[in-house]
């Protein structure tokens, strides 16, 4: 089938999900929020998070301080209101903690727990946490992150106080339609230290040993033990490096295996700082790299050709009883002054050309609509 030419509200047997890439509300972004934490950093070249604020202001102009909690989401809030997705899922790539037990890994992201309304302002339902920054402030920082998110009514997946909790999915009920089960996993290829893996008696994340067939089968066992009719299963994976459009063959095989053998309906991949190609396999979407949605990278001049300031808000609609993809719409965005803005026509065109180029070999076509939205077509 092919995607629809226009956005339609979810039908009685359809579930629409909001997905995105990395949301990094720590470091510089934390400093502009109402309850900024301690700005001290332990990086080789930057010792104070306010330096990232100054870089952004030098590049794009003054940022009001403090901003309200809705500020960082900017134009994305109007898009969320327009589409009214049933479920909202992000990869939250920061610890939410006041702790100071920092990991000596070069870069550490931390948001003050009192700034948690910056997440709930967008009515986020679930945060995937199996990434390379959630333990930046130690095991105590992870536990405070979990406590803070749960107290705010936000479900989590991919991290826990012990292995069973890290492996368990977030279960999101969509009234009258079914459930969305969100599993989250991380790979060492994204920069996750092996010692961050959750154990039976130790906090950590759901870290995959590899992307082999046996790993697919272990995930399949967990999915099939929980999946019921009208359940939609999302597997959110933090994998691969930050900069490359190439999609490794092992990622393609693994994603196909999740769909074919583990009854997974959506593969939600992230880690790349830029948008990558999209595939639809057996009527199920695979996002190999969603790109950054929100970060404090403004003013950093490395890898500018990738345009990591440009992102996408993904709206994926699937049929509840079958899991088959019905519609796939994307809103082009640009990050400016630590705020998500609607991309200009020229920027939307740049993203369209990128998706057309990177998705063509995967059998998918992106269409740029007159209203500036991107629509996915597949066969």
């Amino acid at each position: 089938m092919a995607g629809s030419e226009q956005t339609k509200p979810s039908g009685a047997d359809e579930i629409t999900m909001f997905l995105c890439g990395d949301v990094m509300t720590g470091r510089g972004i934390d400093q502009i929020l109402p309850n900024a934490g301690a700005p001290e950093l332990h990086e080789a070249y930057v010792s104070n998070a306010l330096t990232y604020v100054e870089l952004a202001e030098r590049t794009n102009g003054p940022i009001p301080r403090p901003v309200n909690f809705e500020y960082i989401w900017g134009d994305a809030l109007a898009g969320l209101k327009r589409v009214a997705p049933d479920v909202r899922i992000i990869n939250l790539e920061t610890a939410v903690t006041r702790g100071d037990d920092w990991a000596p890994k070069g870069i550490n992201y931390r948001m003050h727990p009192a700034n948690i309304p910056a997440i709930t302002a967008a009515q986020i339902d679930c945060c995937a946490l199996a990434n390379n920054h959630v333990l930046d402030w130690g095991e105590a920082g992870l536990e405070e992150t979990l406590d803070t998110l749960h107290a705010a009514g936000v479900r989590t997946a991919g991290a826990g106080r012990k292995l069973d909790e890290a492996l368990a999915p977030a279960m999101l009920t969509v009234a009258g339609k079914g459930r969305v089960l969100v599993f989250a996993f991380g790979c060492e290829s994204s920069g996750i230290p092996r010692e961050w893996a959750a154990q039976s008696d130790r906090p950590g994340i759901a870290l995959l040993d590899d992307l082999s067939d046996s790993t697919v089968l272990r995930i399949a066992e967990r999915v099939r033990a929980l999946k019921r009719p009208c359940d939609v299963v999302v597997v959110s994976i933090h994998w691969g490096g930050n900069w490359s459009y190439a999609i490794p063959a092992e990622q393609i095989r693994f994603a196909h295996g999740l769909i074919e053998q583990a009854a997974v309906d959506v593969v939600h991949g992230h880690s790349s700082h830029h948008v990558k190609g999209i595939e639809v396999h057996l009527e199920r979407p695979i996002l190999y790299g969603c790109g950054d949605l929100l970060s404090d990278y403004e003013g950093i001049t490395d890898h500018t050709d990738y345009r990591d300031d440009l992102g996408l808000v993904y709206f994926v609609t699937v049929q509840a009883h079958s899991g088959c993809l019905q519609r796939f719409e994307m809103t082009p965005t640009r990050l400016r002054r630590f705020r998500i803005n609607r991309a200009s026509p020229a920027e939307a065109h740049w993203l369209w050309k990128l998706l057309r180029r990177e998705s063509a070999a995967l059998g998918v076509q992106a269409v740029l609509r007159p209203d500036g939205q991107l629509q996915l077509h597949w066969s």
Side-chain angles (χ1 to χ4, degrees), residues 23 52 66 76 83 86 90 115 146 151 169 184-185 193 195 206 217 256 265 283 302 305 319 335 355 367 373 376:
V23 172
Y52 290 100
V83 177
D86 299 294
I90 67 172
N115 282 330
L146 293 166
F185 303 100
E195 57 268 25
L217 292 177
H256 288 188
D265 301 302
E283 300 296 322
D302 294 342
D305 288 348
Q319 193 173 48
L335 189 62
L355 276 180
V367 174
Q373 297 290 110
L376 211 64

Side-chain angles (χ1 to χ4, degrees), residues 78-143:
L80 287 165
K81 183 177 181 180
R82 173 181 64 85
V83 177
D86 299 294
V87 169
R88 306 178 186 206
I89 303 166
I90 67 172
N91 173 53
L92 181 62
E93 202 163 0
T94 187
V96 185
T97 180
R98 287 159 291 197
D100 202 32
D101 183 20
W102 57 281
K105 58 187 286 289
I107 296 177
N108 302 74
Y109 276 89
R110 172 175 60 175
M111 180 179 78
H112 195 285
N115 282 330
I116 195 65
I119 302 301
T120 57
Q123 301 177 45
I124 301 304
D125 296 297
C126 175
C127 291
L129 298 178
N131 58 59
N132 59 312
H133 286 294
V134 75
L135 272 149
D136 278 358
W137 299 88
E139 293 177 2
L142 171 60
E143 292 181 342

Side-chain angles (χ1 to χ4, degrees), residues 105 131-132 188 191-197 205 207:
K105 58 187 286 289
N131 58 59
N132 59 312
E188 287 183 86
I192 300 172
R194 167 51 57 178
E195 57 268 25
W196 283 15
I205 70 167
L207 187 64

